[in-house]
Amino acid sequence: MKIVHTIKDLQADLSALKAQGKRVGLVPTMGALHAGHASLVKRCVAENDVTVVSIFVNPTQFNDKNDLAKYPRSLEADCELLEACGATFAFAPSVEEMYPQPDTRRFSYPPLDTVMEGKYRPGHFNGVCQVVSKLFDIVKPQRAYFGEKDFQQLAIVREMVRQLRLPVEIVGCPEVREESGLALSSRNARLSDGERQDAARISQILFASRPYAKEHTVEETKRFVEQGIAAVPGLRLEYFEIVDGNTLQAIADWHDTSYAVGCVTVYCGEVRLIDHIDY
């Protein structure tokens, strides 16, 4: 595996490989890689000739400077994991390399980006679209791989690709969990042992809401999850919404959609965690 820090070097290497007819896959990440990322990389390696994994903590998608400063960074360990997974390139640019000038582009995909994370993290998805579109332009992959844990992000990236008619296939990959059920996240590295136990309760409550939902209304199911999380002293609910999985709009009745998804964001101590579940 080759570690590349500049756009020029990466494009030179990719140009030579594409000239040989090689198909290129991209896995965009912010580093602090874990088994969830590894599953994306392994799938990309299996389905493409060349796998590029970007490692870049993108400042434009953080609306909290403290969150940006505390985001875990572990380039050396990340590269070891990527090499073990069979990646071809680790692309680890500086902020100056990615943003030689401020990115003033505006991406807006209502109603997908105005609810849930879009409501509580204004500007977040604009930053996501800025960096993802830059990476697509730099790498020009045939396929790009995203985890379904970031459920809303995946929907918005798909919409961006559709509206801009970008020639890339977006591949969503299943969420990966710890044995406790806790959704794997780079942010988990910031949890203490006690907080990790509290955080595992999030998925346990979501899974318990599945059978509950079969006999109860949407509103009752929402209340079940909200009260379950409120009963764990170490957790603080930001939101729990039951939405149509395609439009991301809240539903009032199970018959409103054939694809109901519960999306939750919870603070465990100072760490903000997201998760989702299909009903």
Side-chain angles (χ1 to χ4, degrees), residues 18-33:
K18 287 176 180 177
Q20 300 170 28
K22 305 284 191 187
R23 292 180 62 82
V24 176
L26 170 68
V27 184
T29 83
M30 292 207 299
L33 304 182

Side-chain angles (χ1 to χ4, degrees), residues 190-206:
R190 294 175 53 199
L191 298 170
S192 68
D193 289 344
E195 286 172 339
R196 192 174 283 270
Q197 289 182 351
D198 288 339
R201 292 286 297 133
I202 300 168
S203 61
Q204 291 162 13
I205 292 162
L206 289 180

Side-chain angles (χ1 to χ4, degrees), residues 49-70:
D49 304 308
V50 176
T51 292
V52 179
V53 183
S54 62
I55 299 173
F56 179 65
V57 182
N58 175 42
T60 71
Q61 70 190 67
F62 286 82
N63 56 344
D64 179 343
K65 288 182 179 177
N66 288 331
D67 193 23
L68 173 60
K70 290 177 180 175

